Amino acid sequence: MRATTLARVTSLLGAFLAISLLMGLIGAGLLLPVIGAGGTAAREGVGMFEELPGDLEQNPLAQQSRIQTANGNLIATPAQENRILVGLDEISPFMKQAQVAIEDERFYDHGGMDVRALTRALVSNATSESTQGGSTLTQQYVKLRLEQEALQEEDSEALNSLRARSGIEGYVRKLRELKYAVTLEQRLTKDEILEGYLNLAYYGDRVFGVEAAARHYFGVNAIDLNLPEAATLAGIVRAPSITDPINDPENSLARRNVVLDKMYQQGMITESEWTKARESEIKLNVTDSQRSCMNSAHPYFCDYVTEWLLQHDALGETREERETLLTTGGLTITTTLEPAMSDLINKRTKEYAPPGNEYKLASAGAMVEPGTGHVLAFGQSSDYNIEESQDRFSETSVNWSVDSRYGGSEGFQIGSVAKAFTLVTALETGVPIEAALTLRKAVQVDDEGNWRDPSKPGSHPEGDTQPAVIFTPEDFQEGCSIGEPQWAVRNAEGANHETSVTLRKATMSSVNTAFATLASQVGTCNIRDTMTEMGLHAASGEAYGAGPASVAPTFVLGADNASPLTVATSYATIASGGLYCPPVPVTKITDSSGKEIPLNLPGCEQVIDPDVAAGTAELMQEVVSLPGSGFRAVLADDRPAGGKTGTADESKHTWFAGYTPQLSTAVWIGSPGAKYDGDLKDFTLGEHTIDGWFYGSKLAAVLWKDIMDSALEDEPVEDFDEPSNEITYGKDRPVPDVEGQSLEDAIRTLGSEGFLTEDHERRSSQPEGTVLYTSPSEGTMMKAGKTVHIYVSSGGWSSSSDDDDD
């Protein structure tokens, strides 16, 4: 008993000594400029005080950024700390009163140090088992600022020092905080200090600052907090780990009532307000902060725009700098996302490819604005989950709509969607819309040819028995040719194997053999260049069709992979009259002070002639307006639209991509992972029945129409520009001299000038395969797209001059 008493007396004496020391040092330090220092002890005390830092650095607080839709709806708030800075005039009076009442009732009376409270706390701590705090609200603010600075600089030693509570370190910490507080009170007003405190304090459950806390717990802004809500928040700060109302509702309620009692005792509220608030329950309206894209209403777009920002130098020179600014800088990022369109695509893709269907089919779609490149929306049939489903088609975090560099997949084979780029190249070369294509005769390929190759779009199990047109490496430009001796090109289900077909019909009916023939004439490398210029690239980011020789030139029929967003963007180039605009998901970024950060976005570029774009649009309009591969995509009110179906890899991937002058959309329905074991033929998916083989025309075209009709319902009907007579009918040009060339060289030479060809054999003394002459002859003026007949030596001299054509 006597030992305990002696210890308490000793502690009490120590407390008084500590108070005397602190008061003496601070008093001497503050009064020195006025009265000077007398005596060695005083000067030493002043010297010690002066050596302590006194000006608290006002480093910017880490605060959450805001990513929002085009109309201002919240997408996500990326943040290291969930904090939103507000001014004092944006905080409820109840909140300001409650925080002062519970933390520092003499806040407006002292100068940063409350001697009465400090003395009471030291005496109580020295003479009893309980612990009291003597810090003023200003001192607490100082401590919070110093801790924030240490955390930002990752200074663990400074952080440990700031949290010292006993011994010499504890007194030194307290002394430093006191000096900071006193000098801070000389520089800032009470309201400025209170504003800083309310923005800096931790309110539990990973929420910092009163604005974020008000939104998180009660779903309101700080200005709208009522009395019970304000008292609840104010009560959390002292012990946030055990008093937040979500995880510790009983402790939170008890603490709230203590705050209300304090407010009543200090005359801040009336007795009736106190009674009513004390009898009320804590009514939470918990709102997720959306710090993670998983909590966003648009998680796939959230991932995409976040990655886009981290790769854009507007936020810094390095990825680390960009991430720091994004998660601490309080940025406001306005995106191009139209939430209604996003919801539409998500809903429709799930309807057309229900998650968990037995055929393991999924769907995705992307929508772009022609002429700006604004990414208006994209969506997919899966639910967002970082833990993927086994077959990767019902739950996944992989964004099927975008390239792999932005968190997307490796893309999907696009099939006949790629034919649009051959059309553009052909029209640029001079092949007119009204051209007639001369095709080689189809032959039956035997089973030993093993032509059932997954890289052949439209190939099906019975494909080995279908007729095919045979091409060899010499038929294509060097560097964009095949690496095999032959390439057997088939048409879907063995149809359309005529030896002559118009360009209109070839486009409308998606005739593979016609487009392979056209590609051999206008140049496969030229087509690949057109794809690049118009924005089509592989989902890996490489040039489309830049794969190994065994793949080229099958890329002209869509054997390479691409994402829906890339396809929609490249098709938007046609819709906008040849103007290519890189996809852009962000229109504006402002910092925490409202100053706009320059984006320095790449501009749009005229990559194809407007007349060529108009001609391409006319050909592609017939796909969706006449009975053919895309007739199921005809839009409501006869709205003009161009588009193209696509089917690849034994129906594993089906597409429809199309556009109007206002909107470009690409949709995909296929297998993102494990493929269905059976045949995708004659089956029902959701509420849609597929008759026959599963082609892009069967369901993707219907989905595209459904989305476009809804998206354009209130938009005016706009027409495409009419192509010129030259694009429609061609222009006169001389037939080049090909005499003495090989047949393959002659076909390429004539094709590069826009002429179609048909070859015939003649017996002669010239080596076999040598061109003898053409009809019309060299120099004859003809319109591009007309057929030039090539007469080739078959060897074996004959005096007859009227042999029949072969």
Side-chain angles (χ1 to χ4, degrees), residues 96 105 184 220 232 273 275 278 302 337 406 450 485-486 509 529 538 575 582 672-673 721 726 744 771 775:
K96 291 178 278 189
E105 64 182 83
L184 197 66
V220 299
T232 301
E273 288 176 322
T275 302
R278 225 178 181 284
C302 177
L337 183 68
Y406 295 118
N450 193 27
Q486 301 181 93
S509 300
D529 291 344
D721 291 338
E726 184 176 306
E744 289 77 14
V771 174
S775 178

Side-chain angles (χ1 to χ4, degrees), residues 20-21 24 79 86 142 178 180 200 216 283 482 506 542 626 632 656 660 676 686 698 766 768:
S20 300
L21 175 64
V86 290
V142 165
L178 281 170
Y180 274 136
L200 189 57
H216 177 60
K283 298 179 181 179
I482 54 177
E542 297 179 346
L626 298 174
R632 292 181 178 88
F656 194 92
T660 68
Y676 177 58
K698 299 294 179 69
Q766 296 296 317
E768 183 178 354

Side-chain angles (χ1 to χ4, degrees), residues 598-669:
L599 280 170
N600 299 321
L601 296 171
C604 300
E605 182 181 358
Q606 193 74 37
V607 296
I608 59 177
D609 188 273
D611 203 14
V612 170
T616 306
E618 177 167 319
L619 285 167
M620 296 180 72
Q621 281 182 81
E622 295 183 356
V623 174
V624 296
S625 62
L626 298 174
S629 62
F631 72 94
R632 292 181 178 88
V634 177
L635 297 182
D637 301 321
D638 294 324
R639 183 186 294 272
K644 193 70 194 70
T645 57
T647 306
D649 197 3
E650 298 184 3
S651 291
K652 183 179 178 181
H653 304 296
T654 68
W655 292 76
F656 194 92
Y659 51 85
T660 68
Q662 305 107 308
L663 207 57
S664 178
T665 301
V667 299
W668 160 84
I669 303 176

Side-chain angles (χ1 to χ4, degrees), residues 203-205 217 236 239-249 251-252:
Y203 288 92
D205 206 35
Y217 291 116
I236 297 173
S241 63
I242 58 172
T243 56
D244 88 68
I246 295 175
N247 299 298
D248 297 281
N251 287 347
S252 181

Side-chain angles (χ1 to χ4, degrees), residues 127-164:
T127 60
S128 68
E129 301 295 333
S130 62
T131 300
Q132 286 189 17
S135 297
T136 63
L137 190 146
T138 307
Q139 289 173 252
Q140 293 177 50
Y141 173 58
V142 165
K143 183 178 180 181
L144 290 173
R145 287 297 314 218
L146 292 172
E147 287 183 349
Q148 179 75 16
E149 181 181 334
L151 287 169
Q152 287 179 344
E153 296 178 359
E154 299 181 354
D155 190 339
S156 58
E157 184 177 345
L159 194 61
N160 290 333
S161 176
L162 287 167
R163 292 172 178 172

